[in-house]
Amino acid sequence: MSDGKDSFIPVNDGPSGPGQIRLTKTTKITTLSGAGLSAESGIPTFRGTDGMWHNEELMKIATPHGFLANPQRSWEFYNERRGNMAKCDPNPAHFALAAMESAGYDIVNVTQNIDGLLAVAGCKEILELHGSVWSIKCSNPACSSKPYENRDVPIVDIPLKCDVCGAVERPNVVFFEEMLDPSIVAKADVRTKETDVFLIIGTSGIVYPAAGFAQIAKAFGAYVIELNLEPTPLSMISDETITGPCGETLPKLLSTLTGGEVRL
Ligand code: BJW
């Protein structure tokens, strides 16, 4: 925990709303983002009105069992998503987070997104809880091969086969019912517990363990701000909720909280 959580300065005691706190360069800021962060870049969310997960067949693809039952079908699905993601650029919300980092603020982005857009925007401190669609690994847990980067769009020889053991390869993302990378979870956990300000950006807050970081942040005394189009189960533990598209609300919020130092 940083020095008594006092490295952000309360600006007024007024009703909840942006501008209640002021961020300084020693404020530890952590974000937890979800698909809503990239929605304005053109990447579909999972559970919104047009969300991908309304198609139950697709949801089954994102399990270890579903992948192994039909790797060809699963790879076609990921090839299509990679093709879409490759055409998408970061939006003002990604750029606002990158601008904070380059201005010298102490900000770490814990993300559920697999699209890599935070890095494209220029963020360096990123913890990808659910992996990356641009990374590939062998599906055989006993294989000694390491995950590797692949940006081909499309990947032609699907399903890819592992050079070391011959098993099918898979996207290095976290399917339902799979454990997250323990080293990434541990880093996110340490950071969350010491953070002063925790921003929950564009996530439905129902997938665990990711959503649990917001609860941990609150329990450890962070000031929690949620940015979303609608209320979520995490709204009730948030000190402020800001409703609207985060491509608009996040740059505005960060500009206000930094006294105009960070703006887009
Ligand atoms: C905007 C916006 C704009 C839109 N501005 N906002 C029962 C059985 C089995 C498992 C479980 C179970 N009960 C619980 C579990 C655990 C399970 C879980 O949490 N399930 C719940 C759904 C119930 N979790 C897991 O399985 C995890 N592993 C685990 O727990 O291991 C231990 C274990 C092992 C075995 C059994 C049980 C436990 C792994 C979770 C992995 C999640 N993987 C996915 C797919 C990644 C790969 C891929 O993409 O193909 O990750 S699922 C999907 O959900 C994806 C996302 O990262 C994740 C979260 O979704 P997100 O990002 O919040 O998106 P949406 O669409 O839900 O929400 C978007 C939000 O944005 C909305 O609120 C909008 O309003 C908002 N928005 N536009 C601001 N412009």
Side-chain angles (χ1 to χ4, degrees), residues 193-212:
K193 287 174 177 165
E194 66 185 18
T195 208
D196 301 301
V197 174
F198 193 87
L199 305 178
I200 310 168
I201 308 167
T203 177
S204 55
I206 62 168
V207 175
Y208 282 80

Side-chain angles (χ1 to χ4, degrees), residues 45-67:
T45 61
F46 295 93
R47 300 174 183 81
T49 325
D50 301 321
M52 285 184 294
W53 269 200
H54 289 297
N55 181 337
E56 273 193 27
E57 200 207 336
L58 291 187
M59 192 161 168
K60 283 187 200 138
I61 286 173
T63 66
H65 211 72
F67 175 81

Side-chain angles (χ1 to χ4, degrees), residues 4 27 38 41 68 74 79 112 129 138 182 213 215 232-233 235 238 259:
T27 309
S38 296
S41 295
L68 288 175
S74 185
N79 247 351
Q112 299 167 84
L129 289 176
C138 180
F213 287 114
Q215 289 155 339
T232 76
S235 306
S238 300

Side-chain angles (χ1 to χ4, degrees), residues 35 40 46-47 78 81 130 174 177-178 203-204 208 228:
E40 288 155 78
F46 295 93
R47 300 174 183 81
Y78 280 97
R81 287 175 68 199
H130 294 164
V174 182
E177 303 165 28
E178 278 187 319
T203 177
S204 55
Y208 282 80
N228 203 306

Side-chain angles (χ1 to χ4, degrees), residues 229-248:
L229 297 179
E230 58 190 24
T232 76
L234 298 177
S235 306
M236 66 181 87
I237 59 126
S238 300
D239 294 291
E240 295 184 28
T241 56
I242 299 173
T243 306
C246 59
E248 292 170 23

